[in-house]
Amino acid sequence: MSKKGKVYLVGAGPGDQGLITLKARDLVSSCDVLVYDNLINPAFLAETAPECELIDVGKTPGRHTVEQEQICKMLVEKAQSGNLVVRLKGGDPFVFGRCAEEMTVLDDAGVSYEIVPGVTAALGCAAYAGIPLTHRDYGSSISFLTGHEDIEKEALRIDFGKFAATGGTLCIYMGMSKLEEIVDKLIAGGLPDSKPAAIVSNGTLPSQRKILGPLKNLVGLAKEKGLGSPAIIFVGNAVGLAGSGDWFEDRPLFGRRFVVTRPVGQNSRLKKLLENKGAEVLELPLIKILPADDRKLVAEAFAGIATYGWIVFTSANGAREFFNLFFRAFGDIRSFGPMRIACVGETTASVVRDYNLEVELIPPVSTAEDLAQSLVATESLDSAHVLVITGSRNREILVNLLESVGHAIVDTLSVYSTDFSDVSEAAALQDFREKGADALVFSSSSAALSYVEQEEDLVLEKDARVPILCSFGAQTSATLKENGLSVDLEAETPSLDSLVDSLVAKFGRSS
Ligand code: SAH
């Protein structure tokens, strides 16, 4: 009856969440136990199933050797009790990842396993820093070396002098604490001190930093720029071909940190838009969406659904919840009927379009007044039945305008309600309190109110960056101001794209 356990030794890639393989991602989201290192992007933890057991085996100096045995033992035990275990490691598991030791122990214990490769740090760092590793004329080999195999080992084990003679491109892992010694040995071994070299620290992450220069300047440059671990040291002629531009660090919001406060799962578009511009995004959900509590009203609206001339979705949450309820009631899209569809905002419309339904009207500006005006302008409202899908927030202005100006017969259907979510439970809270951010982004009045209520939990530590407050639209700004908070930035129009444009205008580096 017991399920057979298995271990997957999986590479998570060098840092950027997008650099994990599809196979690894599937395993992360379906495993029973995730055993992970401190070099993996913590965002992967949020992708596990709710019942998944998360085990942090992050290595810190001084507790390394004992732990490796314990890790191996744990993998065996967890698999033998029937679990699908993912051992997630930074980069690639076979590149300085102690995967060989774990594999041997699993073999000895007769536990079945698979290995999933990952983008190793040297390749990730090289790509994200624009540093070529090979070139037809300037570099025909690549070596991956380690400054020290074990954090506890003091001496360099590799004869760097010999590698000076090897030529090609050297990619040195775990070398920062011995940087000076490594450089000296390479030069003593015969490498010219003018040999092109580079260091990339925190590669592929929003905190990536790099230096480029001749080998002899490497130590000085690293000190000057404060580069530390984790980092890869590159040496070789191909490194000298690094572009003068920098696609990764030149993105307009590189080095900026923003906090988004929408419910989990809805930040993704805003998060993606900001990350694509180079920003680091922290998620601190201040509100959560709860399904409609009045099932009877929902059932009544659905009973008469074929009678409506228009359906109006005022928010993406509303659209999402509406279709959840709809498919629970009907199971077939044809029951939706031939009504025309209006949506406030592109994000809302995209939820509706996911069902292959055509959105006929999106007001140019995402406000109740503009929506009403645009609907009235269609001259189709007189005596028409209109169904307005809302959340718990009052949509009185919209309903009044549709009824008084458009002479429509309006029903409203509240399909969800918002509640404050407990910010002390947010995984990113500690990071926010320690380092702060450039801006806190509020996309709704309820998020603003939740912030006011929980401000004490969000107090920053001494040296943290103090964020400005940024609002999605007039209503949210008004709520912040009513509560004595100053709004430093408001999106020109209430849309995600406009919000991102405003942040770029305020924080973007001029290119
Ligand atoms: N298995 C990993 C390497 C683990 S050893 C891989 O394939 O990438 C740890 C070393 O990897 C660090 O000391 C550093 O040299 C390098 N490293 C890991 N992540 C890095 C990153 N984001 N940026 C720069 N170097 C990184």
Side-chain angles (χ1 to χ4, degrees), residues 14 39 90-92 95-97 120-121 125 173-174 200-203 205 230-232:
L39 270 180
D92 180 88
V95 181
F96 309 128
T120 190
C125 289
Y173 289 68
M174 294 178 272
V200 180
S201 78
N202 290 312
L205 292 165
I232 301 283

Side-chain angles (χ1 to χ4, degrees), residues 38 116 178 183 219 256 260 297 308 328 355 385 451 482:
N38 50 6
V116 181
K178 297 273 187 304
V183 169
V219 175
R256 297 295 185 180
V260 292
L297 267 182
Y308 293 104
R328 227 174 283 152
Y355 297 96
H385 288 258
Y451 175 76
E482 276 162 25

Side-chain angles (χ1 to χ4, degrees), residues 89-422:
K89 294 162 179 285
D92 180 88
F94 273 158
V95 181
F96 309 128
R98 306 199 67 166
C99 190
E101 281 122 293
E102 290 169 15
M103 212 175 74
T104 312
V105 172
L106 294 172
D107 268 334
D108 290 348
V111 171
S112 67
Y113 61 87
E114 287 185 28
I115 300 159
V116 181
V119 176
T120 190
L123 303 187
C125 289
Y128 277 45
I131 297 172
L133 298 180
T134 62
H135 184 279
R136 274 174 70 88
D137 302 324
Y138 302 106
S140 313
S141 70
I142 305 174
S143 308
F144 288 171
L145 317 175
T146 167
H148 55 90
E149 285 89 46
D150 195 311
I151 318 179
E152 287 174 346
K153 280 185 200 140
E154 281 302 310
L156 288 175
R157 209 199 268 181
I158 285 177
D159 185 348
F160 279 87
K162 282 217 178 92
F163 272 93
T166 307
T169 307
L170 308 181
C171 308
I172 305 163
Y173 289 68
M174 294 178 272
M176 288 308 274
S177 59
K178 297 273 187 304
L179 180 61
E180 209 162 340
E181 203 181 330
I182 292 171
V183 169
D184 286 349
K185 290 214 158 121
L186 287 172
I187 294 173
L191 270 193
D193 62 5
S194 57
K195 186 64 86 184
I199 298 178
V200 180
S201 78
N202 290 312
T204 78
L205 292 165
S207 46
Q208 174 174 311
R209 294 289 175 273
K210 79 165 179 198
I211 54 168
L212 280 167
L215 190 55
K216 62 173 174 237
N217 292 353
L218 217 50
V219 175
L221 285 170
K223 270 199 193 121
E224 195 182 303
K225 257 208 160 184
L227 253 61
S229 290
I232 301 283
I233 305 161
F234 296 99
V235 185
N237 288 339
V239 178
L241 301 171
S244 53
D246 191 323
W247 71 265
F248 188 69
E249 295 188 29
D250 288 347
R251 290 172 305 161
L253 294 177
F254 182 78
R256 297 295 185 180
R257 273 161 70 89
F258 300 116
V259 176
V260 292
T261 59
R262 310 175 126 208
V264 171
Q266 286 172 35
N267 284 321
S268 48
R269 185 152 179 267
L270 180 57
K271 188 168 182 269
K272 273 219 174 80
L273 287 172
L274 291 170
E275 284 176 346
N276 286 343
K277 301 244 180 251
E280 180 179 2
V281 177
L282 301 182
E283 293 183 298
L284 284 183
L286 287 170
I287 53 170
K288 56 187 172 200
I289 303 296
L290 305 168
D293 36 23
D294 195 338
R295 299 276 153 177
K296 206 167 140 237
L297 267 182
V298 174
E300 274 171 22
F302 281 166
I305 197 142
T307 62
Y308 293 104
W310 280 97
I311 185 165
V312 179
F313 294 100
T314 58
S315 69
N317 287 328
R320 247 176 246 123
E321 275 309 319
F322 173 86
F323 285 106
N324 282 343
L325 293 166
F326 177 88
F327 285 113
R328 227 174 283 152
F330 296 109
D332 185 331
I333 194 68
R334 281 169 296 183
S335 306
F336 189 73
M339 60 194 151
R340 301 165 77 180
I341 303 174
C343 286
V344 176
E346 270 302 325
T347 314
T348 312
S350 74
V351 175
V352 176
R353 288 192 196 112
D354 282 347
Y355 297 96
N356 286 347
L357 293 168
E358 189 190 330
V359 177
E360 213 175 301
L361 188 145
I362 303 172
V365 182
S366 303
T367 65
E369 286 83 353
D370 281 270
L371 174 65
Q373 260 174 25
S374 308
L375 273 167
V376 169
T378 63
E379 295 187 357
S380 59
L381 289 191
D382 203 352
S383 307
H385 288 258
V386 177
L387 180 60
V388 179
I389 307 300
T390 66
S392 52
R393 269 175 46 208
N394 201 334
R395 289 283 166 191
E396 236 170 87
I397 313 172
L398 175 62
V399 174
N400 284 348
L401 285 171
L402 293 178
E403 285 177 341
S404 61
V405 185
H407 308 292
I409 302 154
V410 183
D411 290 332
T412 55
L413 178 62
S414 161
V415 288
Y416 70 95
S417 61
T418 48
D419 199 358
F420 296 169
S421 61
D422 188 350

